[in-house]
Amino acid sequence: MLSIFKKKEVNTVVCSDDEFVAVANGTLVPLENVSDPAFASKMMGDGIAIELSEGTICAPCNGTLDVAYPTGHAFGITRNDGVEMIIHIGVNTVESNGKGFEVLATQGQTVKAGDPLVKVDLKSLSKKYDMVTMLIVTDPNEKEISFIDCQEVKKGQIISK
């Protein structure tokens, strides 16, 4: 008998609790190259940015979603080993007041690397905003954090070294 129901797509990203994965398909760029001076100067912490080529943003690690802005433009996650980070989608996108963002995750939930956090309407938002997306380590919890060299990446690809 044929099933008329489609299986729900499951993101099966396997990574350890001390690794980061790409939050979307795109190209990694140095944080110093982003157009927002606060992020480029590493005022909030060190990290990496990604020029998005698609609009579903996923969790970069295994951990807890501590902050999920209702506007969908930013998320704060504490990795299972205590490292804290933020994902900031676009530059000045808070001004959109959530238009173009469909939040898929709930503050306080446990996430696995690759779990979808938000869908972003890149076509619409990129008309007004620079949609580079920053992954900033705000508290390394005394751990050495480093990322792979800038290159094209696929969602779920391990980007820490």
Side-chain angles (χ1 to χ4, degrees), residues 46-64:
D46 204 351
I48 194 87
I50 185 169
E51 292 283 352
L52 303 174
S53 62
E54 60 98 14
T56 300
I57 308 300
C58 297
C61 60
N62 303 322
T64 302

Side-chain angles (χ1 to χ4, degrees), residues 67-75 88-89 92-104 117-120 125:
V67 178
Y69 282 89
T71 53
H73 80 285
F75 297 86
H88 196 282
I89 304 158
N92 297 324
T93 50
V94 67
E95 297 171 357
S96 78
N97 292 316
K99 187 175 182 192
F101 293 90
E102 179 188 348
V103 178
L104 305 172
L117 300 177
V118 63
K119 284 188 181 177
V120 179
L125 287 166

Side-chain angles (χ1 to χ4, degrees), residues 92-150:
N92 297 324
T93 50
V94 67
E95 297 171 357
S96 78
N97 292 316
K99 187 175 182 192
F101 293 90
E102 179 188 348
V103 178
L104 305 172
T106 307
Q107 188 166 309
Q109 88 178 59
T110 299
V111 293
K112 296 272 187 203
D115 286 352
L117 300 177
V118 63
K119 284 188 181 177
V120 179
D121 182 349
L122 280 180
K123 186 176 181 181
S124 148
L125 287 166
S126 63
K127 290 177 183 174
K128 185 172 182 181
Y129 303 102
D130 175 354
M131 293 305 295
V132 67
T133 296
M134 286 71 64
L135 173 63
I136 309 296
V137 177
T138 55
D139 181 357
N141 194 27
E142 299 182 13
K143 308 234 177 345
E144 283 289 322
I145 309 287
S146 60
F147 295 96
I148 62 173
D149 293 336
C150 293

